[in-house]
Amino acid sequence: PKAVITPSIPNPVLYKQTVTLSASGGQRYFWLQTGSTNQDIDYKINNTQPKLFTVRVTDENECWDTVSYLVKGILPDTCYYGFPNVFSPNQDNLNDEYIPNMDECTDVIVFAIYDRWGEKVFETNQLKGWNGYFKGRPAPMGVYLYYAEFNTPWGIRKHKGTFTLMR
């Protein structure tokens, strides 16, 4: 057989995208890096280090061939994240949640909000916003502190700051 790997996205593949590598040329497939026996495998780009994939393709006569493909990742030009300085949870559909602004290349590790006495009023490990409620009641107007850790293409970033809740 003649083993072939065809990528769903040509190199370079943008950070956080998933490329599907499709093998062809035989009846059975074995991916050396993953142990998968599927014809296709998916690989999500988590960094810019090139990753080599090799597949062994076997035909009906038990003859085999191997082929390799080097996946190359690339970082986006920018990776933005920022925090509003005010929010107004008054159900007017404008700024009703306090949520970080961020690009797809950033993942939330932790995002927490504290009142002026240091009591945690909100925490998540997802891109979710705070609705301005604490223990089922509207939180009072005032200044609040946020603490956030994000995983970016350049490593973990930590931020803290304040914002104002207005009603």
Side-chain angles (χ1 to χ4, degrees):
K2 174 71 175 146
V4 176
I5 295 177
T6 306
S8 61
I9 303 169
N11 281 323
V13 181
L14 191 61
Y15 178 77
K16 287 240 178 162
Q17 282 190 321
T18 299
V19 60
T20 299
L21 301 178
S22 299
S24 59
Q27 315 306 134
R28 292 192 327 264
Y29 304 91
F30 181 75
W31 294 90
L32 277 62
Q33 287 73 19
T34 66
S36 173
T37 56
N38 295 329
Q39 188 171 357
D40 300 338
I41 62 168
D42 292 330
Y43 177 64
K44 185 174 182 179
I45 304 300
N46 293 317
N47 57 52
T48 59
Q49 295 298 316
K51 174 108 175 153
L52 185 68
F53 288 91
T54 302
V55 64
R56 184 168 78 183
V57 176
T58 306
D59 68 13
E60 65 277 356
N61 299 316
E62 296 301 316
C63 296
W64 56 271
D65 186 24
T66 60
V67 65
S68 297
Y69 184 82
L70 187 66
V71 177
K72 298 175 185 172
I74 187 171
L75 294 176
D77 291 336
T78 62
C79 191
Y80 172 81
Y81 47 90
F83 300 88
N85 60 0
V86 170
F87 93 118
S88 58
N90 56 10
Q91 283 71 47
D92 66 355
N93 293 323
L94 299 171
N95 301 313
D96 283 339
E97 275 191 328
Y98 187 80
I99 189 167
N101 301 312
M102 62 177 62
D103 288 341
E104 291 180 11
C105 60
T106 306
D107 290 321
V108 175
I109 297 171
V110 65
F111 175 55
I113 296 174
Y114 301 85
D115 65 18
R116 66 181 179 171
W117 296 282
E119 185 171 9
K120 188 185 303 178
V121 298
F122 177 79
E123 183 175 25
T124 185
N125 63 357
Q126 302 172 11
L127 183 55
K128 287 183 172 179
W130 180 45
N131 63 6
Y133 279 73
F134 180 56
K135 295 184 179 178
R137 303 181 63 94
M141 291 193 326
V143 176
Y144 289 78
L145 172 79
Y146 68 83
Y147 174 78
E149 290 183 22
F150 299 110
N151 193 11
T152 73
W154 303 277
I156 294 174
R157 300 292 187 249
K158 298 177 183 181
H159 289 275
K160 61 184 175 182
T162 60
F163 65 92
T164 303
L165 185 157
M166 297 175 55
R167 295 206 180 267

